[in-house]
mmCIF file of all heavy atoms in Angstrom:
data_model
loop_
_atom_site.group_PDB
_atom_site.id
_atom_site.type_symbol
_atom_site.label_atom_id
_atom_site.label_comp_id
_atom_site.label_asym_id
_atom_site.label_seq_id
_atom_site.Cartn_x
_atom_site.Cartn_y
_atom_site.Cartn_z
ATOM 1 N N MET A 1 8.945 -0.209 -3.312
ATOM 2 C CA MET A 1 8.233 1.047 -3.237
ATOM 3 C C MET A 1 7.375 1.225 -4.463
ATOM 4 O O MET A 1 7.877 1.170 -5.565
ATOM 5 C CB MET A 1 9.183 2.233 -3.007
ATOM 6 C CG MET A 1 9.932 2.143 -1.749
ATOM 7 S SD MET A 1 11.223 3.386 -1.516
ATOM 8 C CE MET A 1 10.335 4.876 -1.824
ATOM 9 N N VAL A 2 6.091 1.429 -4.246
ATOM 10 C CA VAL A 2 5.133 1.599 -5.317
ATOM 11 C C VAL A 2 4.319 2.812 -5.030
ATOM 12 O O VAL A 2 3.868 3.019 -3.895
ATOM 13 C CB VAL A 2 4.226 0.373 -5.477
ATOM 14 C CG1 VAL A 2 3.117 0.632 -6.506
ATOM 15 C CG2 VAL A 2 5.014 -0.842 -5.828
ATOM 16 N N GLY A 3 4.109 3.617 -6.036
ATOM 17 C CA GLY A 3 3.226 4.747 -5.871
ATOM 18 C C GLY A 3 2.815 5.372 -7.155
ATOM 19 O O GLY A 3 3.685 5.462 -8.087
ATOM 20 N N VAL A 4 1.600 5.785 -7.262
ATOM 21 C CA VAL A 4 1.131 6.548 -8.439
ATOM 22 C C VAL A 4 0.548 7.862 -7.855
ATOM 23 O O VAL A 4 -0.109 7.821 -6.851
ATOM 24 C CB VAL A 4 0.108 5.774 -9.256
ATOM 25 C CG1 VAL A 4 0.787 4.544 -9.916
ATOM 26 C CG2 VAL A 4 -1.097 5.353 -8.455
ATOM 27 N N LEU A 5 0.773 8.916 -8.547
ATOM 28 C CA LEU A 5 0.244 10.213 -8.140
ATOM 29 C C LEU A 5 -1.089 10.557 -8.746
ATOM 30 O O LEU A 5 -1.794 11.353 -8.208
ATOM 31 C CB LEU A 5 1.253 11.324 -8.449
ATOM 32 C CG LEU A 5 2.625 11.196 -7.726
ATOM 33 C CD1 LEU A 5 3.532 12.319 -8.209
ATOM 34 C CD2 LEU A 5 2.393 11.244 -6.237
ATOM 35 N N HIS A 6 -1.381 9.899 -9.921
ATOM 36 C CA HIS A 6 -2.646 10.100 -10.569
ATOM 37 C C HIS A 6 -3.232 8.730 -11.001
ATOM 38 O O HIS A 6 -2.473 7.963 -11.554
ATOM 39 C CB HIS A 6 -2.409 11.017 -11.819
ATOM 40 C CG HIS A 6 -1.756 12.285 -11.513
ATOM 41 N ND1 HIS A 6 -2.434 13.345 -10.923
ATOM 42 C CD2 HIS A 6 -0.466 12.712 -11.686
ATOM 43 C CE1 HIS A 6 -1.586 14.349 -10.757
ATOM 44 N NE2 HIS A 6 -0.348 13.956 -11.197
ATOM 45 N N GLU A 7 -4.484 8.632 -10.764
ATOM 46 C CA GLU A 7 -5.138 7.367 -11.182
ATOM 47 C C GLU A 7 -5.287 7.333 -12.734
ATOM 48 O O GLU A 7 -5.450 8.342 -13.342
ATOM 49 C CB GLU A 7 -6.491 7.193 -10.523
ATOM 50 C CG GLU A 7 -6.330 6.931 -9.035
ATOM 51 C CD GLU A 7 -7.685 6.621 -8.440
ATOM 52 O OE1 GLU A 7 -8.630 7.435 -8.543
ATOM 53 O OE2 GLU A 7 -7.772 5.602 -7.718
ATOM 54 N N ALA A 8 -5.291 6.119 -13.223
ATOM 55 C CA ALA A 8 -5.536 5.871 -14.676
ATOM 56 C C ALA A 8 -6.122 4.475 -14.772
ATOM 57 O O ALA A 8 -6.079 3.721 -13.798
ATOM 58 C CB ALA A 8 -4.191 5.959 -15.421
ATOM 59 N N PRO A 9 -6.712 4.153 -15.892
ATOM 60 C CA PRO A 9 -7.194 2.810 -16.099
ATOM 61 C C PRO A 9 -6.131 1.746 -15.796
ATOM 62 O O PRO A 9 -5.016 1.886 -16.296
ATOM 63 C CB PRO A 9 -7.676 2.745 -17.529
ATOM 64 C CG PRO A 9 -7.947 4.176 -17.882
ATOM 65 C CD PRO A 9 -6.964 5.010 -17.078
ATOM 66 N N GLY A 10 -6.413 0.821 -14.902
ATOM 67 C CA GLY A 10 -5.428 -0.181 -14.552
ATOM 68 C C GLY A 10 -4.425 0.290 -13.504
ATOM 69 O O GLY A 10 -3.515 -0.446 -13.158
ATOM 70 N N ALA A 11 -4.555 1.495 -13.047
ATOM 71 C CA ALA A 11 -3.584 2.046 -12.044
ATOM 72 C C ALA A 11 -4.351 2.879 -11.049
ATOM 73 O O ALA A 11 -4.116 4.087 -10.884
ATOM 74 C CB ALA A 11 -2.478 2.868 -12.690
ATOM 75 N N ARG A 12 -5.314 2.263 -10.316
ATOM 76 C CA ARG A 12 -6.049 2.939 -9.328
ATOM 77 C C ARG A 12 -5.264 2.963 -8.034
ATOM 78 O O ARG A 12 -4.467 2.028 -7.765
ATOM 79 C CB ARG A 12 -7.430 2.308 -9.099
ATOM 80 C CG ARG A 12 -8.295 2.388 -10.274
ATOM 81 C CD ARG A 12 -9.802 1.924 -9.959
ATOM 82 N NE ARG A 12 -9.890 1.099 -8.781
ATOM 83 C CZ ARG A 12 -10.138 -0.241 -8.847
ATOM 84 N NH1 ARG A 12 -10.225 -0.874 -9.988
ATOM 85 N NH2 ARG A 12 -10.248 -0.934 -7.710
ATOM 86 N N PHE A 13 -5.463 3.990 -7.210
ATOM 87 C CA PHE A 13 -4.732 4.084 -5.954
ATOM 88 C C PHE A 13 -4.894 2.842 -5.081
ATOM 89 O O PHE A 13 -3.887 2.293 -4.601
ATOM 90 C CB PHE A 13 -5.243 5.294 -5.109
ATOM 91 C CG PHE A 13 -4.845 6.655 -5.699
ATOM 92 C CD1 PHE A 13 -5.755 7.683 -5.735
ATOM 93 C CD2 PHE A 13 -3.575 6.892 -6.296
ATOM 94 C CE1 PHE A 13 -5.451 8.936 -6.188
ATOM 95 C CE2 PHE A 13 -3.260 8.076 -6.813
ATOM 96 C CZ PHE A 13 -4.181 9.139 -6.765
ATOM 97 N N ASP A 14 -6.121 2.369 -4.930
ATOM 98 C CA ASP A 14 -6.299 1.177 -4.041
ATOM 99 C C ASP A 14 -5.576 -0.064 -4.601
ATOM 100 O O ASP A 14 -4.973 -0.825 -3.860
ATOM 101 C CB ASP A 14 -7.786 0.917 -3.859
ATOM 102 C CG ASP A 14 -8.556 0.585 -5.123
ATOM 103 O OD1 ASP A 14 -8.154 1.068 -6.184
ATOM 104 O OD2 ASP A 14 -9.581 -0.102 -5.029
ATOM 105 N N GLN A 15 -5.575 -0.217 -5.909
ATOM 106 C CA GLN A 15 -4.842 -1.356 -6.521
ATOM 107 C C GLN A 15 -3.368 -1.189 -6.348
ATOM 108 O O GLN A 15 -2.711 -2.189 -5.984
ATOM 109 C CB GLN A 15 -5.154 -1.433 -8.061
ATOM 110 C CG GLN A 15 -6.544 -1.808 -8.447
ATOM 111 C CD GLN A 15 -6.731 -1.678 -9.905
ATOM 112 O OE1 GLN A 15 -6.277 -0.701 -10.515
ATOM 113 N NE2 GLN A 15 -7.322 -2.684 -10.573
ATOM 114 N N MET A 16 -2.840 -0.075 -6.680
ATOM 115 C CA MET A 16 -1.422 0.114 -6.683
ATOM 116 C C MET A 16 -0.814 0.194 -5.340
ATOM 117 O O MET A 16 0.277 -0.305 -5.077
ATOM 118 C CB MET A 16 -1.042 1.365 -7.480
ATOM 119 C CG MET A 16 -1.488 1.301 -8.925
ATOM 120 S SD MET A 16 -0.879 -0.062 -9.915
ATOM 121 C CE MET A 16 0.815 0.362 -9.999
ATOM 122 N N HIS A 17 -1.447 0.891 -4.439
ATOM 123 C CA HIS A 17 -0.889 1.071 -3.103
ATOM 124 C C HIS A 17 -1.193 -0.070 -2.117
ATOM 125 O O HIS A 17 -0.350 -0.724 -1.578
ATOM 126 C CB HIS A 17 -1.324 2.450 -2.458
ATOM 127 C CG HIS A 17 -0.949 3.598 -3.369
ATOM 128 N ND1 HIS A 17 -1.591 4.761 -3.379
ATOM 129 C CD2 HIS A 17 0.072 3.762 -4.221
ATOM 130 C CE1 HIS A 17 -1.041 5.626 -4.240
ATOM 131 N NE2 HIS A 17 0.016 4.979 -4.725
ATOM 132 N N ALA A 18 -2.516 -0.252 -1.884
ATOM 133 C CA ALA A 18 -2.900 -1.298 -0.900
ATOM 134 C C ALA A 18 -2.845 -2.661 -1.483
ATOM 135 O O ALA A 18 -2.328 -3.608 -0.841
ATOM 136 C CB ALA A 18 -4.311 -0.972 -0.372
ATOM 137 N N GLY A 19 -3.323 -2.875 -2.699
ATOM 138 C CA GLY A 19 -3.422 -4.205 -3.275
ATOM 139 C C GLY A 19 -2.040 -4.759 -3.545
ATOM 140 O O GLY A 19 -1.775 -5.917 -3.227
ATOM 141 N N LEU A 20 -1.098 -4.024 -4.113
ATOM 142 C CA LEU A 20 0.231 -4.517 -4.390
ATOM 143 C C LEU A 20 1.005 -4.753 -3.101
ATOM 144 O O LEU A 20 1.799 -5.721 -3.017
ATOM 145 C CB LEU A 20 0.989 -3.650 -5.305
ATOM 146 C CG LEU A 20 0.505 -3.677 -6.780
ATOM 147 C CD1 LEU A 20 1.305 -2.676 -7.632
ATOM 148 C CD2 LEU A 20 0.633 -5.070 -7.371
ATOM 149 N N ALA A 21 0.804 -3.958 -2.094
ATOM 150 C CA ALA A 21 1.449 -4.171 -0.829
ATOM 151 C C ALA A 21 0.998 -5.510 -0.204
ATOM 152 O O ALA A 21 1.858 -6.280 0.285
ATOM 153 C CB ALA A 21 1.184 -3.021 0.168
#
Side-chain angles (χ1 to χ4, degrees):
M1 293 175 53
V2 173
V4 294
L5 296 177
H6 305 284
E7 291 186 307
R12 293 189 341 253
F13 291 140
D14 61 332
Q15 291 173 315
M16 301 302 291
H17 300 153
L20 287 177

